Amino acid sequence: MNLKEMVGIEAAKFVTDGMIVGLGTGSTAYYMVEEIGRRMKEEGLKITGVTTSKATEKQALGLGIPLKSIDEVTHVDLTIDGADEVDPDFSGIKGGGAALLFEKVVATYSRQNIWIVDESKIVAKLGKFPLPVEVVPYGHQQLVTLFDQKGYEPKLRKNETGQVLVTDGGHYIIDLHLQQINDVPALAQELDTTVGVVEHGLFIGLTGKVIVGYPEGPKTLEKR
Ligand code: 5RP
């Protein structure tokens, strides 16, 4: 079993009958969704899912998981999602899979968030992984120039066919190659107040539990 599958299965144990569950996006979240589907089929588990991307929606529907949109629920009990990097404060970078906007919306309205990662994602400081910034297409080139002038080494994200990637929300993504982020809240605030930026991949104070996959087994870290 690979580490992503291990943590996906481990996280699904936190799902109980009747929960409204936020279903994350990515290659790690994939295994968690599969395991929830298996538990529903084999153990009679009953949940309602709220998906964070079209890809996860397709997977969940294929498994027969009943779904509601984020606007059809009063709250989400638990969201389980992957992450690209996690620091000792449980701040993280997300959006490698281009779903950061919907992921942040669902995480914000969730009573509990669990992240599932393999050991390689645990870092002392965020920033080696390029920070995704979701922007409106109108004026995006101005933002690329602005970020370039700030030394953020921006790159407009393209898809496999070389076309500009369009997110599920209809936006573009500019990846910032920062190498190291020394003041995470300050950068988040700067991006939050930049016109044309819809959302960014810095997730701060949203998760209290991270399940990390190690070759010897999964370890659940709780925020102190
Ligand atoms: C998608 C995400 C993913 O959760 C993140 O990129 C981790 O993905 P993976 O589990 O495939 O490594 O934020 O927008």
Side-chain angles (χ1 to χ4, degrees):
M1 186 188 295
N2 70 49
L3 301 184
K4 293 185 177 195
E5 184 174 8
M6 178 203 288
V7 291
I9 290 173
E10 183 69 14
K13 292 179 185 162
F14 289 89
V15 176
T16 55
D17 251 346
M19 272 187 171
I20 300 172
V21 183
L23 303 172
T25 296
S27 58
T28 315
Y30 169 87
Y31 290 109
M32 170 274 298
V33 176
E34 288 294 304
E35 176 64 4
I36 289 177
R38 185 200 66 75
R39 287 191 56 201
M40 292 179 75
K41 206 165 162 201
E42 294 177 14
E43 300 170 12
L45 174 73
K46 286 190 175 34
I47 67 131
T48 301
V50 175
T51 55
T52 54
S53 64
K54 286 182 185 160
T56 303
E57 181 181 40
K58 191 167 169 219
Q59 182 191 4
L61 288 175
L63 292 165
I65 301 175
L67 299 179
K68 283 194 173 168
S69 83
I70 188 67
D71 287 317
E72 291 171 323
V73 297
T74 53
H75 68 280
V76 176
D77 292 296
L78 166 65
T79 290
I80 304 170
D81 203 350
D84 299 302
E85 279 185 347
V86 184
D87 77 6
D89 293 332
F90 286 16
S91 293
I93 288 182
K94 285 183 51 52
L100 64 132
L101 174 60
F102 292 1
E103 289 173 335
K104 201 180 268 189
V105 171
V106 174
T108 299
Y109 295 104
S110 296
R111 290 180 177 164
Q112 201 196 343
N113 284 283
I114 298 176
W115 285 351
I116 45 177
V117 294
D118 63 56
E119 57 177 343
S120 69
K121 310 257 185 91
I122 301 294
V123 298
K125 276 196 182 261
L126 301 180
K128 247 218 158 39
F129 192 92
L131 175 66
V133 180
E134 187 155 346
V135 304
V136 287
Y138 185 83
H140 73 276
Q141 197 49 53
Q142 298 295 340
L143 281 173
V144 171
T145 304
L146 178 75
F147 291 143
D148 192 42
Q149 285 164 351
K150 290 180 183 227
Y152 292 170
E153 298 198 20
K155 241 184 154 193
L156 187 62
R157 200 183 295 186
K158 307 265 174 70
N159 61 24
E160 318 77 52
T161 59
Q163 310 286 108
V164 177
L165 182 140
V166 180
T167 67
D168 287 351
H171 308 119
Y172 294 169
I173 287 183
I174 300 172
D175 290 301
L176 305 182
H177 295 252
L178 301 165
Q179 303 309 330
Q180 184 167 304
I181 302 171
N182 287 320
D183 190 337
V184 174
L187 179 61
Q189 207 201 347
E190 179 188 320
L191 293 170
D192 282 335
T193 53
T194 300
V195 173
V197 169
V198 180
E199 197 45 85
H200 55 79
L202 290 172
F203 282 49
I204 304 172
L206 282 167
T207 191
K209 196 176 283 191
V210 180
I211 302 177
V212 189
Y214 295 96
E216 55 275 19
K219 200 169 159 189
T220 301
L221 310 178
E222 305 265 357
K223 194 167 182 179
R224 275 171 290 144

